[in-house]
Structure formats: structure tokens, C-alpha cells
Amino acid sequence: MLEEVNRNAYELDISEFVTSHAILLHTKKASTYYANSDVEVVNATLHDVVNGELSLGNEISPHALVKLITAGKERSYSTTDWIPPNILVDSANILMWYQPTMLRHLYLKNSSDVNQQTLHVKFPATLFVFERNTRHLKMFGLDSDKRPTLDSILYQLPIGNISRSGNLCLGNTLDLIPDTPNAQNCHLIERCFFDALSTHTNTEYLFLKDEEDKKRTLFTQIVSYWARKAKRRHRVNVKKDLIPLLSIRTLMRG
């Protein structure tokens, strides 16, 4: 004969809990940088609850907030918690990282060419910004291989399939993006450009001289530029050749 189950044994006894603190999230209307969201969380404040009422609160950092919530939990470590040194931002929506100058393959094809060109070039240091909500990828040039700061200037990369705002035209490369992009696999997202074929320009000017002369950059110039770099094994002179756009700080403000 089955023993009758005491359902009361599974009920949560709220009398054991005391509401001692409250966390308030302070928001503003979202900028375009945080697309697909009506509001952007600006900060959080922690308040004592006294006699059922909120007291004045103090601002609390995201790191302190996580520590507060996980206080008393069993300590555990995982290699997935390790943050590589090239990761700059890993938030709910934004994953931002950089790569120093390195040898890369570029696949280029003019509309008038029968075959594509594969060039092995010294590609400049690059900042990558991936938006998880929209699955958009931005790419910008950097003038140093050192870890960027908020005041580092971002440059227009002289490549095809990229807009003035740094947005890469992903085309059919979306399948190359991991299902759950994170700090450990973000380098795989870079394949959306470096494993893809560049065929056209998405903005009017891609070189500083062209912008100064108000002369639209043609895709044939892009191909010639990288072919020369590949033949001579020269690095890109970022400050001389490329168009400065904005700082990382400005980018993050939206």
C-alpha cells in the first residue's frame, strides 16, 4: 500500500525569510547601441528595508551586486569563468574584444574579375563589437597593439562589406556565429569577415585621403591596396591611411 504523501512538507515556509534589502534598477530610454530594448539600465542602488519601508539607498556596482546575491553559496570554479586578457566588455548584450596586428587571409573579388584573390596580409589591430540581441558585428581599426582604453580612437577599416558605423554585412555568414557567444569562443565570430568573400564597399570613403579629397573609394582601390601590402609584407599605417571615427567611450555612450 502506497504511503500518503504529506504535501505540506514541500510548501515553502515564508516565515523563515526576512526582507532586509531591496535592489532598484534605474533606467533611461535605450540608445541605438542597445538595440531591441526599450530601456537601458544606468545603475542600481541597494536599500535597507526598515519596518516594511525602503530607506535611502547607495549605488552598487555590478560586481558587488553579484557578490551580494551569491554570498553564502557554495564556492565553485570553472574554466568558463576565466576572462581572456583581450576581452574588454562582456555584458548581457555586448561582447567586445580586440586582436593585435596579425597575419590574416583576405578573400577579395572585383565584379570585373573572373576569379577571387586570396591575400596574406598583416591586418591591423582590430576592435570587435558583437551585439547578442541583434547578432550584429561591428569592426574598427586600432592604431596600437596594446590593450585599448576608453579613450582609444577607432578607425574605419579599409575593407569591403563594412559601413561607416562599423557594421559588417554578414550575408550568409550568420551560421558561423556560435549559438552562445562568449569570451571563450568570440574568436570564432571573426570568421564572419576573415572566412568570407569581400565584393563591394558599403560606405563612401575608406581612406583618409579619399575623404579629404571628397573622392569616393572604389572597391578596386581596396583590392590594389591590400595586394601591395601583401606583396611588400608591409603593415597598415593606421594614422596615415585610415579615417578616425570616434573613441571607444563615445561608441559605448551610443
Side-chain angles (χ1 to χ4, degrees), residues 103-122:
L103 290 173
R104 303 268 203 177
H105 281 102
L106 292 184
Y107 303 99
L108 308 169
K109 185 178 184 299
N110 284 321
S111 58
S112 59
D113 292 341
V114 176
N115 300 315
Q116 71 180 43
Q117 292 194 51
T118 301
L119 303 175
H120 199 46
V121 302
K122 294 180 180 178

